[in-house]
Amino acid sequence: MSDTHVPTRTRDLPPQLWDEVARADLVVHAGDWTQLALLDRLAERSRSLLGCWGNNDGPDVRARLPEVARADVEGVRVAVVHETGPRQRREERMRVAHPDADLLVFGHSHIPWDTAHAGLRLLNPGSPTDRRRQPHCTYVTARLADGAVEDVVLHRLPARPGAGASVKGR
């Protein structure tokens, strides 16, 4: 998940996402938590949590998380970062910026993204709480096994009243 913006965009994560957290071996968050309390709750309810800070995160979140989080998971070298810059040439830039990664999970745009370039898989789960200009709030699940990223699924969340409204100036 990424760009949860709790409590600025919503009070909590959707129940469906909390159910996924309970089932997951690893929960990944690509920044813009906006509140330390969500980090604490996810850490408490996750078997394992890998996350980074985003541009909307304050010093309290940044003190606890790196700008780029890394882990080796089932033979997949995972990197998690919030910002990747403009869409144009993103794959090439990220391959150069993260030469030791097989999978890069990123956020910021709220736009789901799944592509591969020169051995690097790039995944953006969108946002489960702020769809911005997207038709749905989203998150992604995947299975990492034997050095491969498999079973990637983009999940669309049911609409909630007032969810995903765009904020002027973004």
Side-chain angles (χ1 to χ4, degrees):
M1 74 184 83
S2 185
D3 299 282
T4 49
H5 298 274
V6 172
T8 57
R9 301 301 294 154
T10 186
R11 290 185 188 148
D12 199 3
L13 298 180
Q16 178 179 334
L17 188 50
W18 280 118
D19 291 345
E20 293 282 5
V21 166
R23 287 190 292 273
D25 292 325
L26 173 67
V27 174
V28 175
H29 193 299
D32 273 4
W33 308 71
T34 68
Q35 186 185 66
L36 194 57
L38 178 61
L39 171 57
D40 290 337
R41 290 178 62 212
L42 269 174
E44 180 181 291
R45 295 173 75 173
S46 302
R47 287 187 188 101
S48 183
L49 178 63
L50 181 65
C52 66
W53 55 260
N55 63 296
N56 285 304
D57 293 321
D60 55 348
V61 172
R62 290 175 188 226
R64 297 254 309 266
L65 296 172
E67 182 176 9
V68 180
R70 298 179 186 282
D72 189 293
V73 182
E74 299 295 326
V76 178
R77 296 169 303 168
V78 180
V80 184
V81 65
H82 186 65
E83 174 62 59
T84 60
R87 178 181 186 150
Q88 296 78 14
R89 302 188 55 123
R90 176 179 288 142
E91 293 90 344
E92 293 89 355
R93 279 193 326 277
M94 292 305 101
R95 171 44 61 212
V96 170
H98 304 282
D100 59 340
D102 303 310
L103 170 63
L104 178 69
V105 179
F106 68 99
H108 189 62
S109 68
H110 299 219
I111 300 171
W113 184 282
D114 182 1
T115 190
H117 175 76
L120 177 64
R121 180 88 175 252
L122 288 95
L123 286 178
N124 184 325
S127 171
T129 58
D130 183 6
R131 65 181 178 85
R132 211 175 277 172
R133 293 171 296 278
Q134 299 305 303
H136 305 280
C137 288
T138 59
Y139 67 93
V140 167
T141 57
R143 188 169 63 85
L144 307 182
D146 301 319
V149 180
E150 302 174 342
D151 304 327
V152 175
V153 177
L154 177 68
H155 299 270
R156 294 180 175 148
L157 290 158
R160 295 178 332 234
S166 215
V167 175
K168 274 192 157 188
R170 279 195 171 174

